[in-house]
Amino acid sequence: MKTNLNTKTEITFEDFKAEVLNDYKLAVTSRECSLLGRREVLTGKAKFGIFGDGKEIPQIAWAKAFENGDFRSGYYRDQTFMMAIGELTIEQFFAGLYANTDLKEEPMSAGRQMGGHFATHSLDANGNWKNLTEQKNSSADISPTAGQMPRLLGLAQASKIYRQVEGIDTTKFSNSGNEIAWGTIGNASTSEGLFFETINAAGVLQVPMVISIWDDNYGISVHARHQTTKENISEILKGFQRNEDDKGYEIFRVDGWNYPELMDTYQRAAKVSRREHIPVMIHVQELTQPQGHSTSGSHERYKNKERLAWEAEYDCNVQMRKWIIENNIASDEELTAAEREIKKAVREGKKAAWSAFINPIYAEFKEAINLLDQLASTSPNGVFIRKLKNDLETIDEPLRRDLLSATRKALRYVVSESSVAKTNLQNWITNYIDLIQPKYSSHLHSESQLNAIKQTEIKPTYDANSEEVDGRVVLRENFDAIFSKYPEALIFGEDAGYIGDVNQGLEGLQEKYGELRVSDTGIREATIIGQGIGMAMRGLRPIAEIQYLDYIMYALQIMSDDLATVQYRTKGRQKAPLIVRTRGHRLEGIWHSGSQMGGIINLVRGIHVLVPRNMTKAAGFYNTLLESDEPALVVECLNGYRLKEKLPNNIGDFKTPLGVVETIREGEDITLVSYGSTLRLVEQAAKELQEVGIDAEIIDVQSLLPFDLNHDIVKSIAKTNRLMIIDEDVKGGASAYILDQILNEQNAFEYLDSQPKTLASKPHRPAYGTDGDYFSKPSVEDIFEAIYDVMHELSPDNYPKLR
Ligand SMILES: Cc1ncc(C[n+]2csc(CCOP(=O)(O)OP(=O)(O)O)c2C)c(N)n1
Ligand SMILES: [Mg+2]
């Protein structure tokens, strides 16, 4: 059941009545899902429920204004909208609640996200783009409040790019930039910084974004008076209203229970936004929460009697019903009959969803029971195994965990036996895990042909008399090649446009490629990333520039929660191949030379993290990434832009492979592993060590995520039998990650003759000045001495104590 989306043609009163009734039935269907959904949680069939009750009618009005090609970026209240655009059935609603891992049954996330987190499929099963202009699109929701806002900006900006930039193949993505990006947010979540940052940025950019604020006066139990100045978000945002002199927003206010006014408001909003690319805010007031916030508690705890009575009366479905009767569209009896039918349909849909969820597990359950039975009958420990089997059998609605828990425990009883039944059970468990685990763990990265690690290396090549240039020139020439090769590529960030970035890696490129493709942004790191995520989701190839690595902290939440999880949370049905460009390490002072790499790599699994030691390597990474369909962070060395590098003659074409380390110095005595700016110090230390007879091998990691896919580091350790990891992050940061990879993934333990060591910075932030750096981060002397000490331990006679 979905709403009639054709609002453009003249219709008769009979048609009008039918449409209104259809809308009402949809609202009731959605409500019934919420009511039954809550019951499913309370009776234990589902774990948690957060529903769209009390927000039905505005979402139907919104759906009528939503056209093919448009995008939604919203939150957990939007089930009615998803039903109204035909992207969520009753069965799918319940499949989400039960966490059905079959994408056919649960297309939003294959059970990875709790119910109420909606998505449509932008990609087919092979990871290829579908035609997004022929379908209604919803970017995949995330749970952090206001986390949907940064991405919304980019979804809207994409329309502007498609309308105004020439030369892009828009076939699958845009019809002259006529698409609106529609956002939704709860009233309380507008207190988040991400909301304000996005609102300001969209006003500056003038993009077709329509943000609806579902205002029910509460954020869980916290009343609007603790959330919003003047308790009214549209009141305090009045200054954003555009006027004859200044660009800005169109702001509407409407009551969420007023069906005809909602219809009118959404049509007007769509018209102005779609045609003129004006951002619009719709403050939908007087909404309610008939069942409270979620299944975690009841709202009677924090709403007084008057409020509860008001909510019962102004429940949008109740008001629509009243309006229908008052306007003689249908009688009370007709509506009651329709409601009865709907209750039945929802009950049946729920049942079907439960069967679809549980039946495959029952089949697996029977297999497990049989195998346990066989094992019990052949083992001297049969009693214990039979008990496990009997306990399992008493579970009416078993989960996969129950099956595995019982079967894996059973193996412990037969550990020293050998029987066919045991082998069968062992094989079954192994196969079962192999079969089931991907349902939960696949698609952290792209599983398409375009996965970044499938890209093959192309080495930079040089003329005999290749020029030595500043590193930043290699980058600039390469970006120039990128923008001419890929019309859909664009870059934006603070100072990235007019001056061509703070280090001139984009010098002259705005003039050449225009202000939309090489652009300055406000100081707003989180929405710079969001802008990139949204545009990447719509087929563009954005490069979002974060001016310094230290300031990525502002963007890290959205990288971690949104960008890193796009493929995973949609099981490969959406992607955002955003490249994040930044520069860092070893400049000056606490906030210009940080190296929070341990934090980053642990927070952004799902994003590649690349740490090139020079600009040729960096350029090669950009070239690789543009051929792939995955997001990545590239950290350029801040102190490398003025260092000389030879200019390759295959600029734009050479590709640095991901997950491949490089041995930059060969040696016999110890393997030194490092990356980025620190490598230059390591190289210097290695030279000095050679003078005292220590021959170090240096390996540049280059790519922290993915890490040394060929396991080359362990090959080096097999030769040197010693390992030192040198890093300018704090101890326990990236160096600990590298050590874990080498010990646990590469099994270097057996080759080590001495304790593997890490040398990292002091635990405080790096102090300012040359001495500040010297006393905060590993210096050449620190590196020298640390390695010398390892050799001293090995042979005190050859390497007597230094001090
Ligand atoms: C960043 C973050 N903080 C806290 C939460 C927990 N939380 C979930 S919903 C919610 C209230 C949101 O209220 P509102 O935005 O008004 O939306 P409503 O549920 O009322 O529709 C909170 C605090 C969260 N999901 N994310
Ligand atoms: Mg609220």
Side-chain angles (χ1 to χ4, degrees):
M1 153 166 238
K2 56 180 185 174
T3 187
N4 175 9
L5 300 167
N6 184 358
T7 51
K8 288 181 186 146
T9 44
E10 294 278 312
I11 54 169
T12 65
F13 186 62
E14 283 310 308
D15 289 342
F16 168 73
K17 266 170 63 169
E19 191 176 331
V20 170
L21 275 183
N22 190 48
D23 288 348
Y24 178 69
K25 286 184 197 168
L26 180 58
V28 174
T29 304
S30 175
R31 175 66 58 88
E32 199 54 32
C33 285
S34 302
L35 297 174
L36 269 194
R38 185 177 173 87
R39 229 182 292 158
E40 290 301 272
V41 175
L42 300 184
T43 58
K45 275 206 169 93
K47 288 211 101 170
F48 178 74
I50 189 150
F51 306 115
D53 47 306
K55 318 282 189 294
E56 290 88 347
I57 308 302
Q59 293 184 22
I60 292 172
W62 163 28
K64 285 182 196 291
F66 195 96
E67 295 187 4
N68 280 352
D70 285 2
F71 259 87
R72 164 188 173 276
S73 182
Y75 79 116
Y76 50 77
R77 297 283 181 223
D78 293 344
Q79 75 195 42
T80 314
F81 169 80
M82 294 302 289
M83 290 175 176
I85 61 166
E87 290 295 334
L88 182 70
T89 64
I90 297 168
E91 288 79 3
Q92 289 165 348
F93 172 90
F94 285 99
L97 261 188
Y98 303 141
N100 192 321
T101 53
D102 184 342
L103 201 60
K104 281 195 217 83
E105 305 288 341
E106 204 290 90
M108 306 295 144
S109 75
R112 291 174 178 193
Q113 294 228 65
M114 57 172 64
H117 289 62
F118 305 109
T120 51
H121 294 183
S122 301
L123 306 174
D124 65 21
N126 300 319
N128 298 315
W129 286 113
K130 295 168 75 183
N131 189 327
L132 306 186
T133 67
E134 291 173 350
Q135 62 181 38
K136 300 193 163 60
N137 303 287
S138 172
S139 62
D141 293 354
I142 61 176
S143 297
T145 48
Q148 69 273 34
M149 295 298 298
R151 163 180 12 113
L152 176 64
L153 179 70
L155 293 169
Q157 171 76 352
S159 289
K160 188 163 173 165
I161 301 293
Y162 282 124
R163 186 176 284 182
Q164 294 188 27
V165 175
E166 282 173 12
I168 308 177
D169 180 2
T170 61
T171 321
K172 289 184 169 175
F173 305 109
S174 181
N175 174 13
S176 311
N178 287 335
E179 304 78 22
I180 293 175
W182 301 83
T184 66
I185 189 165
N187 58 296
S189 301
T190 64
S191 312
E192 293 278 11
L194 290 180
F195 173 79
F196 285 94
E197 189 175 315
T198 307
I199 292 294
N200 177 54
V204 169
L205 290 174
Q206 290 291 293
V207 287
M209 172 182 114
V210 181
I211 175 77
S212 296
I213 298 153
W214 305 144
D215 192 345
D216 56 16
N217 250 29
Y218 282 87
I220 311 187
S221 66
V222 181
H223 189 264
R225 67 179 171 276
H226 302 296
Q227 299 282 2
T228 311
T229 310
K230 299 185 182 182
E231 297 183 29
N232 188 325
I233 190 70
S234 57
E235 181 63 25
I236 58 170
L237 293 180
K238 258 183 181 167
F240 281 88
Q241 174 66 48
R242 67 179 177 151
N243 57 34
E244 278 161 19
D245 301 324
D246 290 313
K247 291 179 176 166
Y249 273 74
E250 212 44 74
I251 301 178
F252 296 97
R253 261 188 219 172
V254 57
D255 289 330
W257 44 263
N258 191 330
Y259 174 75
E261 263 193 36
L262 284 162
M263 294 295 158
D264 180 55
T265 305
Y266 275 89
Q267 292 302 320
R268 281 164 53 207
K271 200 166 164 188
V272 62
S273 193
R274 201 179 296 283
R275 260 199 225 153
E276 301 173 47
H277 280 190
I278 304 292
V280 176
M281 190 182 311
I282 307 178
H283 185 187
V284 183
Q285 297 178 298
E286 303 209 349
L287 287 169
T288 68
Q289 295 179 338
Q291 302 191 102
H293 175 75
S294 72
T295 53
S296 299
S298 82
H299 58 157
E300 285 81 9
R301 287 178 301 161
Y302 49 81
K303 288 177 186 163
N304 63 26
K305 274 203 187 102
E306 291 72 39
R307 173 72 195 184
L308 289 168
W310 179 87
E311 287 204 12
E313 186 181 353
Y314 280 87
D315 178 325
C316 58
N317 287 14
V318 171
Q319 287 290 323
M320 183 173 180
R321 193 181 198 281
K322 209 167 117 199
W323 178 83
I324 289 173
I325 296 170
E326 278 168 9
N327 287 280
N328 294 323
I329 294 168
S331 67
D332 191 4
E333 295 71 39
E334 281 172 280
L335 295 180
T336 305
E339 286 155 1
R340 208 175 302 124
E341 286 301 304
I342 289 167
K343 271 189 201 300
K344 209 169 130 217
V346 172
R347 259 199 320 271
E348 277 163 14
K350 183 203 77 165
K351 257 198 215 152
W354 179 252
S355 299
F357 169 75
I358 202 76
N359 286 347
I361 303 182
Y362 276 141
E364 298 156 12
F365 176 72
K366 276 187 197 140
E367 289 172 13
I369 294 283
N370 267 341
L371 287 163
L372 286 174
D373 219 15
Q374 284 166 27
L375 191 69
S377 61
T378 58
S379 167
N381 282 329
V383 241
F384 302 109
I385 298 166
R386 191 148 294 119
K387 168 138 187 12
L388 280 174
K389 188 207 109 178
N390 291 343
D391 289 349
L392 181 61
E393 259 179 331
T394 59
I395 304 175
D396 286 339
E397 285 150 2
L399 294 174
R400 289 176 166 132
R401 179 201 54 187
D402 302 319
L403 274 59
L404 275 175
S405 177
T407 50
R408 290 166 88 174
K409 280 189 178 129
L411 279 186
R412 297 175 201 167
Y413 292 114
V414 293
V415 68
S416 44
E417 296 171 25
S418 76
S419 67
V420 176
K422 178 182 169 184
T423 314
N424 286 347
L425 186 65
Q426 284 172 323
N427 291 343
W428 184 86
I429 292 171
T430 306
N431 293 339
Y432 190 63
I433 293 176
D434 284 353
L435 185 76
I436 304 299
Q437 188 68 50
K439 292 181 188 295
Y440 299 94
S441 300
S442 73
H443 294 89
L444 177 60
H445 292 282
S446 163
E447 298 194 359
S448 82
Q449 282 313 307
L450 299 175
N451 178 299
I453 62 173
K454 291 191 181 144
Q455 302 303 314
T456 43
E457 177 176 15
I458 300 177
K459 289 204 157 54
T461 52
Y462 301 93
D463 296 330
N465 51 354
S466 275
E467 248 186 295
E468 289 261 329
V469 294
D470 285 352
R472 62 116 195 157
V473 174
V474 177
L475 269 183
R476 188 198 60 201
E477 296 302 304
N478 196 70
F479 278 126
D480 191 358
I482 283 174
F483 295 130
S484 79
K485 183 169 171 188
Y486 303 96
E488 67 278 17
L490 49 138
I491 192 162
F492 46 92
E494 297 151 20
D495 303 287
Y498 188 68
I499 64 163
D501 93 41
V502 283
N503 293 91
Q504 300 274 278
L506 299 166
E507 185 195 16
L509 299 184
Q510 183 179 75
E511 218 175 311
K512 190 163 174 187
Y513 296 102
E515 284 187 22
L516 281 171
R517 291 189 67 198
V518 181
S519 36
D520 285 317
T521 66
I523 306 175
R524 48 175 182 78
E525 286 77 11
T527 50
I528 288 174
I529 298 297
Q531 202 175 323
I533 297 172
M535 287 200 277
M537 282 183 159
R538 291 191 58 193
L540 295 168
R541 291 311 311 261
I543 304 172
E545 181 170 319
I546 300 295
Q547 198 160 70
Y548 297 107
L549 178 63
D550 303 75
Y551 306 127
I552 210 162
M553 303 296 272
Y554 278 55
L556 204 49
Q557 179 268 328
I558 215 68
M559 287 174 66
S560 179
D561 288 329
D562 194 352
L563 183 60
T565 66
V566 173
Q567 290 256 2
Y568 177 77
R569 71 183 196 261
T570 61
K571 208 177 179 204
R573 295 311 175 105
Q574 289 188 14
K575 66 175 176 178
L578 168 66
I579 299 171
V580 182
R581 174 193 189 207
T582 191
R583 53 183 74 81
H585 295 133
R586 296 219 182 234
L587 193 65
E588 290 299 344
I590 296 180
W591 285 281
H592 290 87
S593 47
S595 176
Q596 65 283 48
M597 297 311 294
I600 293 172
I601 53 180
N602 287 323
L603 287 167
V604 304
R605 300 297 161 96
I607 299 176
H608 297 307
V609 177
L610 309 170
V611 282
R613 70 176 180 277
N614 60 36
M615 302 309 154
T616 307
K617 291 280 178 187
F621 276 136
Y622 293 123
N623 296 339
T624 304
L625 293 167
L626 281 158
E627 293 292 304
S628 98
D629 61 357
E630 297 195 279
L633 167 68
V634 181
V635 186
E636 297 167 11
C637 294
L638 239 179
N639 58 11
Y641 295 108
R642 308 273 158 199
L643 299 178
K644 296 292 179 202
E645 296 180 32
K646 271 206 280 180
L647 187 65
N649 58 16
N650 58 345
I651 209 93
D653 291 331
F654 60 88
K655 291 197 275 181
T656 314
L658 271 67
V660 179
V661 303
E662 190 177 331
T663 304
I664 56 176
R665 184 185 199 280
E666 298 205 356
E668 298 293 327
D669 295 332
I670 185 165
T671 300
L672 308 181
V673 175
S674 191
Y675 63 91
S677 296
T678 308
L679 274 172
R680 272 190 285 280
L681 282 75
V682 175
E683 283 183 284
Q684 179 58 33
K687 260 191 224 154
E688 295 172 13
L689 285 161
Q690 189 75 68
E691 289 164 15
V692 298
I694 298 170
D695 186 19
E697 178 143 309
I698 304 178
I699 297 183
D700 177 7
V701 170
Q702 308 194 88
S703 163
L704 287 168
L705 293 173
F707 186 87
D708 188 12
L709 297 168
N710 303 325
H711 291 194
D712 286 332
I713 296 175
V714 74
K715 290 172 203 155
S716 167
I717 297 169
K719 179 175 72 172
T720 64
N721 311 117
R722 270 169 282 281
L723 169 67
M724 168 86 60
I725 297 161
I726 304 114
D727 184 23
E728 60 175 282
D729 190 2
V730 293
K731 259 194 178 302
S735 58
Y737 160 81
I738 293 172
L739 187 62
D740 171 68
Q741 289 286 317
I742 297 172
L743 292 185
N744 290 323
E745 299 297 319
Q746 304 195 6
N747 295 318
F749 187 71
E750 57 179 308
Y751 301 110
L752 284 164
D753 285 347
S754 55
Q755 186 192 341
K757 294 253 163 114
T758 59
L759 178 65
S761 78
K762 297 285 182 292
H764 52 75
R765 299 286 182 100
Y768 172 65
T770 304
D771 282 349
D773 176 81
Y774 192 84
F775 286 97
S776 300
K777 296 195 170 191
S779 65
V780 175
E781 286 70 40
D782 292 335
I783 300 168
F784 179 100
E785 288 176 9
I787 296 159
Y788 187 90
D789 281 352
V790 172
M791 301 308 286
H792 163 76
E793 259 174 45
L794 175 78
S795 167
D797 291 344
N798 286 343
Y799 307 103
K801 241 186 170 356
L802 279 171
R803 61 186 160 95

